[in-house]
Amino acid sequence: LAFSCALNDRVEAIHIYDSQTQKVKKLIEPILNDYSPTFDPTGQYLYFGSVRDFHPTYGETHFSLGFPKAAGIYVALLSEKTRNPFENPITPPPQEKKNGKKDTKKPEVKTQIDFEGIDNRIHRAPIELGGHWKLFAVKNGFVYAQSGPRMY
């Protein structure tokens, strides 16, 4: 089980609950906010939203810097042997046929996490920064909703 929770009033981090040991462990050291963690169906990746990519922009009416687009979608490679899914498209393995029919039986997925060095196995999705929410991992990728900048 992956979830995000506040470490203090400014920082949110992703934690993992291990059902075998019944213990909670922080997965990734957040830069500011990590949120909406979701495992992919193969158990090799954890996709999540994060505010960790800062590009300062001057305001149009004030002489101050802001960060209107700092949130992105990232993937944590759960094993040091897992490849970055954004480097090359993932090609699904062919399904074996039995008696001329596709095998629809789903294999049991057991997620193993190599915690050591996981902060160095985080990659940003090659999409525009800003306004991501409602993130879901699906077969061979992820889907998300995106909104425009918030106005107050």
Side-chain angles (χ1 to χ4, degrees), residues 50-141:
S50 181
V51 177
R52 60 176 56 223
D53 208 336
F54 302 100
H55 302 281
T57 304
Y58 280 103
E60 292 181 3
T61 58
H62 296 85
F63 297 106
S64 62
L65 291 171
F67 303 93
K69 292 188 175 185
I73 294 176
Y74 296 81
V75 64
L77 311 181
L78 300 180
S79 167
E80 58 187 22
K81 297 174 186 172
T82 304
R83 67 174 191 78
N84 178 352
F86 303 133
E87 287 181 355
N88 296 310
I90 296 173
T91 305
Q95 291 183 341
E96 293 183 25
K97 292 184 178 183
K98 292 184 181 177
N99 299 331
K101 295 180 182 179
K102 285 186 178 180
D103 186 11
T104 57
K105 183 180 175 185
K106 293 183 180 182
E108 183 179 325
V109 175
K110 183 168 171 68
T111 301
Q112 293 283 71
I113 301 174
D114 296 335
F115 285 93
E116 189 170 329
I118 196 163
D119 285 325
N120 298 318
R121 299 192 308 267
I122 296 172
H123 303 279
R124 185 167 66 88
I127 58 174
E128 183 179 352
L129 293 172
H132 307 106
W133 55 285
K134 296 285 186 188
L135 174 63
F136 299 98
V138 295
K139 185 178 179 180
N140 298 326

